[in-house]
Amino acid sequence: MIKNNRLSEAEYKVNFSDIHPPYTNVNAALVDANRCLFCYDAPCTKSCPTSIDVPKFIKQITTANIKGSAHTIFSSNILGAGCSKVCPVEKLCEGSCVYNLLDEAPIPIAQLQRYSTEKAIAGNWQLFTRKPSTGKKVAIVGAGPAGLSCAFNLSKEGVDVTIYEKESKAGGLMTYGIAAYKVTPEFCEDEVNYILSIGGIDIKYNMALGTDITIAELQAQYDAVYLAFGVGLARQLSVPGENLTGVVDAISFIYELRSKGFSSVPVGDKVAVIGLGMTAIDAATQAKRLGAKEVTIVYRRTQDEMPCTQVELDIAMLDGCKLSWLAAPKEVLGADGKATHLVCTKMKLGEPDASGRRSPVETDETFTLEVDMVIKAAGQMPFEALVNGSSLNNKSGKVSVEDKSVTSINGVFAGGDCVNGGREVVDAVQAGKDGAKAVLSFIATNATNEH
Ligand code: SF4
């Protein structure tokens, strides 16, 4: 049966507490920081999409220069605190740490990054000074990681920024789309407020592109426009029974969990989650932590092809989620309008596709899972109708750009998930930096031409 309020407040608190607890004392941080070899050719920095100078910020921790350390991190990544909690570091900085070659534990870069940046946010350390206003105005659509990163980097240079955000809070995916045991809504609010504390950034909430504003209107009012509206539409399964009660999409499920509170979100006894990306893992583990008795993740390939990392998979398995490999949803069966069973087709792996990844092929065999809830996490789709309603060049709804952020409309730039279709938060932060650079160059060129 699908119901909410399955657990006590104390149980919710335990289940959704921080999965990677911070350092509890300075000595532990110092011990870890002092293990760093401060590699000259730091592979950890090279593998960070925002190129954070890892050995430098760690060295600053060893000399008790925490402000300097936070400054080093934020100079490259203003969402460095959030990224320290949500980045798949095992395939980025920590995965590249030279200690892996020695078969020793890598430096806990994320935990050290969190150590410095959380102190900066808690103390509201003002580490950057905004240049005097240039009088130039830029509109940004979307207050997610790409939009905030772009806004910060523009404001630092004296540009007056207005962000149009369709939700009632800023942070985008960080605020609405990630498991609560990785980042709490309260942390996201603090991080956004910290970014905005540089000044010169105004956010207009509940303003959606295409509904409340258009690109043409923004162009008329601002010197440039940066689009960072992300992705968000859940991919449909396109199987019979998809409209039965109990079949929900993972994005809405996680959104509800983060915006309404744990006890308000209904969850089934027997839950099937379709997909094995980060969102699928977040949905499965959170369903379990909300009190679901049985959670089965259904994935159409094998562990070798899974899109999530091993660390993510381990979280789900430690939470007791089951895996059904080489299986794809065929039909949701129901009674009285409610989902009762999920029929799956057994798959096998076929030939590799162009990327070298082996594609799943249907077999004649099926099996059936008893369910009362099915969570669809088979990927997100770009806002195709929104993009097609403008004159932006795009590929199946993904905004096409040149030189990292220049769109087909003069003076309109874009970056983040609305361009790449959905990658990591840290990629969006870098896209925002690239966007700010392109916008500043455009503004400067236009100013020169006006003279
Ligand atoms: Fe330090 Fe590892 Fe980076 Fe080398 S690779 S600088 S040891 S964190």
Side-chain angles (χ1 to χ4, degrees):
M1 195 204 330
I2 298 184
K3 60 175 186 176
N4 61 351
N5 216 7
R6 283 175 178 264
L7 308 176
S8 67
E9 277 310 312
E11 286 171 312
Y12 284 125
K13 203 170 169 200
V14 170
N15 286 358
F16 288 92
S17 64
D18 212 326
I19 196 164
H20 299 300
Y23 289 112
T24 48
N25 70 65
V26 63
N27 289 337
L30 280 175
V31 168
D32 280 341
N34 276 307
R35 273 185 71 229
C36 180
L37 301 170
F38 310 115
C39 308
Y40 170 72
D41 202 17
C44 45
T45 293
K46 284 187 179 157
S47 63
C48 171
T50 59
S51 306
I52 292 175
D53 191 336
V54 176
K56 183 176 175 186
F57 94 71
I58 293 180
K59 183 80 188 170
Q60 287 165 317
I61 292 176
T62 65
T63 56
N65 180 6
I66 309 303
K67 274 193 181 165
S69 173
H71 183 270
T72 300
I73 296 161
F74 288 140
S75 297
S76 293
N77 181 344
I78 194 58
L79 277 90
C83 284
S84 75
K85 296 166 182 247
V86 304
C87 261
V89 288
E90 59 278 7
K91 65 175 185 186
L92 297 174
C93 56
E94 291 184 18
S96 306
C97 177
V98 293
Y99 273 108
N100 292 297
L101 301 173
L102 306 171
D103 279 340
E104 287 187 37
I107 301 295
I109 300 169
Q111 202 177 1
L112 289 165
Q113 183 168 315
R114 177 176 176 176
Y115 178 74
S116 300
T117 52
E118 280 197 341
K119 281 191 187 318
I121 292 178
N124 196 22
W125 294 344
Q126 292 304 305
L127 304 171
F128 301 90
T129 308
R130 182 175 190 243
K131 287 184 184 166
S133 175
T134 58
K136 295 295 178 188
K137 297 187 302 172
V138 171
I140 293 178
V141 180
L148 287 170
S149 166
C150 184
F152 176 81
N153 284 288
L154 287 173
S155 179
K156 204 152 55 98
E157 297 304 317
V159 174
D160 295 324
V161 178
T162 304
I163 307 182
Y164 292 83
E165 167 56 49
K166 70 176 171 24
E167 301 292 344
S168 58
K169 287 182 186 166
L173 178 76
M174 289 287 283
T175 299
Y176 290 108
I178 288 181
Y181 53 79
K182 291 182 185 163
V183 275
T184 62
E186 295 75 29
F187 166 80
C188 293
E189 205 168 325
D190 289 348
E191 183 171 54
V192 168
N193 288 337
Y194 184 69
I195 295 167
L196 299 184
S197 68
I198 191 167
I201 305 171
D202 179 34
I203 305 186
K204 296 193 184 305
Y205 293 103
N206 304 308
M207 294 287 281
L209 184 67
T211 310
D212 306 299
I213 35 157
T214 63
I215 293 175
E217 284 166 356
L218 294 177
Q219 278 189 291
Q221 292 173 47
Y222 296 90
D223 295 293
V225 178
Y226 181 71
L227 303 174
F229 49 77
V231 289
L233 303 173
R235 198 175 295 282
Q236 297 300 301
L237 299 178
S238 302
V239 299
E242 192 166 2
N243 295 327
L244 288 166
T245 300
V247 183
V248 301
D249 75 74
I251 313 286
S252 311
F253 177 67
I254 296 171
Y255 179 96
E256 273 202 11
L257 216 146
R258 294 188 64 91
S259 50
K260 285 189 183 168
F262 309 129
S263 60
S264 308
V265 181
V267 69
D269 284 322
K270 296 189 173 204
V271 180
V273 177
I274 315 295
L276 194 53
M278 189 192 78
T279 303
I281 296 283
D282 283 357
T285 51
Q286 291 192 111
K288 202 80 173 64
R289 288 167 190 235
L290 283 175
K293 292 182 181 141
E294 205 175 291
V295 175
T296 307
I297 300 173
V298 176
Y299 179 55
R300 60 199 186 123
R301 290 182 163 98
T302 73
Q303 195 166 348
D304 288 341
E305 295 82 25
M306 67 182 183
C308 69
T309 65
Q310 186 60 46
V311 172
E312 297 273 354
L313 182 66
D314 289 346
I315 295 171
M317 292 180 85
L318 284 171
D319 275 0
C321 299
K322 295 180 187 167
L323 264 299
S324 189
W325 302 103
L326 286 168
K330 179 180 166 65
E331 182 175 9
V332 186
L333 303 176
D336 301 327
K338 295 177 187 167
T340 58
H341 295 84
L342 176 68
V343 183
C344 297
T345 304
K346 286 190 183 176
M347 311 294 282
K348 63 179 181 183
L349 286 183
E351 293 304 311
D353 60 19
S355 67
R357 201 165 175 234
R358 292 180 71 189
S359 303
V361 180
E362 285 187 9
T363 69
D364 296 334
E365 287 180 74
T366 61
F367 65 95
T368 302
L369 293 172
E370 198 182 318
V371 297
D372 49 15
M373 188 174 193
V374 177
I375 303 179
K376 301 181 284 184
Q380 285 169 263
M381 294 187 301
F383 295 109
E384 196 162 356
L386 175 67
V387 175
N388 284 336
S390 69
S391 53
L392 287 167
N393 281 356
N394 68 89
K395 285 189 195 117
S396 308
K398 287 192 275 185
V399 181
S400 303
V401 295
E402 287 174 20
D403 293 335
K404 296 182 180 170
S405 37
V406 179
T407 74
S408 53
I409 305 177
N410 188 38
V412 177
F413 302 81
D417 287 356
C418 69
V419 169
N420 64 36
R423 292 178 66 181
E424 306 295 343
V425 170
V426 68
D427 294 304
V429 175
Q430 182 57 38
K433 284 163 62 185
D434 293 335
K437 204 169 151 194
V439 168
L440 288 169
S441 160
F442 173 78
I443 290 173
T445 308
N446 274 12
T448 309
N449 292 342
E450 282 164 15
H451 288 137

